[in-house]
Amino acid sequence: MTQTVEQAAGQPARSELPEPLVTLLTSHLDVKVNPDQLSADTTFESLEMDSLSLMELVVAAEQELGIVLPDEAADLSPSSTLGDAARAFRNAT
């Protein structure tokens, strides 16, 4: 079984980010980044997203995907990572 460098280092690979999260970031919120450059360690701050942008992300996810994100999603801050958001997406109902 082959591993990527990120997996060998114990870090999630890009493919481990939920595709709906990546789509919301790049399409709905119009974050100017190549999706292949996103990783679980990417911070929202590095994507130039502030607290208001994060709330927009949560609302858009709930409306467009028909999910309810856990309370921890409201705790996301600009210093949070996409990995933190991915965990919130996995825990959505």
Side-chain angles (χ1 to χ4, degrees):
M1 175 169 139
T2 59
Q3 291 184 325
T4 65
V5 173
E6 291 87 359
Q7 289 170 327
Q11 300 170 347
R14 152 67 181 90
S15 61
E16 291 184 25
L17 292 175
E19 196 58 40
L21 172 61
V22 174
T23 300
L24 284 172
L25 288 169
T26 57
S27 297
H28 185 80
L29 296 176
D30 203 28
V31 172
K32 304 291 185 209
V33 66
N34 181 335
D36 293 332
Q37 294 176 322
L38 298 174
S39 75
D41 292 329
T42 302
T43 65
F44 289 106
E45 191 171 51
S46 71
L47 299 175
E48 299 181 9
M49 292 181 68
D50 59 13
S51 300
L52 181 58
S53 298
L54 290 172
M55 288 310 299
E56 289 178 43
L57 174 65
V58 169
V59 170
E62 291 183 343
Q63 288 178 344
E64 292 190 19
L65 305 175
I67 60 175
V68 176
L69 291 167
D71 290 340
E72 68 190 55
D75 294 336
L76 293 174
S77 69
S79 63
S80 298
T81 65
L82 295 183
D84 296 331
R87 279 187 289 285
F89 269 61
R90 280 193 293 274
N91 295 329
T93 56

